[in-house]
Amino acid sequence: MKLQIEIDSGSGFCFGVTTAIQKAEEELAKGNKLYCLGDIVHNGMECERLRQMGLITINHDEMRRLHNVKVLLRAHGEPPETYALAQENNIEIIDATCPVVLQLQKRIKKQYEASSSGGSLEGASIVIFGKRGHAEVLGLVGQTHSDAIIIEHFDEVAQLDFTRDIYLYSQTTKSLDEFHRIIEYIQQHISPEATFKSFDTICRSVANRMPSISQFATRHDLILFVCGRKSSNGKVLFNECLRVNPNSHLIEGPGEILPSWLQGIRTVGICGATSTPKWLMEQCRDALLKL
């Protein structure tokens, strides 16, 4: 019997990543030298494709040594210091920060300025539900001169000071369910004298993927989730596949597919994260057909 393979139409680059890659390709097509601050997307194979086109990936230390060049800021966004450094070193910024992230940075900055005096927060906590060290989170915390508190998981919420006002935000790619659990916990524990406000800043192009990827994963005997292992939303989406279909495997590319997975399998679903290029999922499909 012929193996049925379906590529999930909802998987692949989100709007923010697509825009960043388009901006890089346009600049490189002009023959210009272009640097990118950090991996343009959390996918090694797509980064390699762009590297071959001429994109040079740098870190913050390397950027400090550059002058009179063009640097692309990827969809994750950057803290204010990066823009200040660019001005100082006469670096032209090509800003591909995702509009959803940009909006969130502005909201946090505005809240910080409203809640602080003399450059520090007074009697209030700005809390960000996000992954420590993640590029987007560094950009968000940077809006508060690093005064914001990061909570990575629900079990850290109990450590907050519930006698203070709390303003809660979320990294755009975090789990909506976990965010709602955090909100409920704070509502139950906040002091009657303190103010609590939460702002649902989770990107719907990621949040809406959860129910659709869940339905997709239940339709197939085997799920191949194609994704770079650094991707935050990839981890969330893959765990959802695994929850509804234990026969799910996370792979970075076609080279990781094991023929033994196909024994007794009639249908295979191929899906991925917002950082997974369509061409990579197609390569995985082609590799399956060869097997």
Side-chain angles (χ1 to χ4, degrees), residues 210 212-227 229 234-252 256-258 260-262 265 267-272:
M210 289 292 272
S212 63
I213 212 155
S214 179
Q215 286 168 357
F216 180 81
T218 53
R219 285 209 299 273
H220 297 284
D221 301 332
L222 168 70
I223 289 293
L224 296 182
F225 190 89
V226 188
C227 167
R229 289 190 168 85
K235 285 192 187 84
V236 173
L237 292 168
F238 173 66
N239 285 335
E240 182 60 16
C241 287
L242 207 53
R243 188 182 69 80
V244 298
N245 185 342
N247 198 19
S248 298
H249 298 274
L250 190 146
I251 57 169
E252 288 206 329
E256 293 181 20
I257 299 169
L258 298 180
S260 60
W261 293 346
L262 300 177
I265 296 295
T267 70
V268 180
I270 299 173
C271 50

Side-chain angles (χ1 to χ4, degrees), residues 85-144:
L85 173 68
Q87 212 170 351
E88 213 175 288
N89 288 8
N90 196 34
I91 290 169
E92 186 186 328
I93 289 285
I94 294 171
D95 202 337
T97 304
C98 170
V100 180
V101 175
L102 210 51
Q103 195 58 34
L104 173 53
Q105 286 185 350
K106 285 176 184 166
R107 286 173 84 169
I108 290 176
K109 186 174 192 230
K110 197 174 169 189
Q111 184 61 62
Y112 179 74
E113 286 169 353
S115 309
S116 70
S117 91
S120 68
L121 282 172
E122 283 199 344
S125 299
I126 290 177
V127 179
I128 297 166
F129 170 45
K131 185 182 175 187
R132 285 183 190 85
H134 187 281
E136 183 192 322
V137 175
L138 294 173
L140 300 177
V141 173
Q143 308 303 319
T144 70

Side-chain angles (χ1 to χ4, degrees), residues 172-189:
T172 58
T173 53
K174 290 296 272 183
S175 153
L176 202 51
D177 289 346
E178 198 173 0
F179 185 60
H180 287 148
R181 282 178 68 207
I182 290 167
I183 290 170
E184 278 171 32
Y185 188 94
I186 297 173
Q187 281 170 339
Q188 287 161 8
H189 292 82

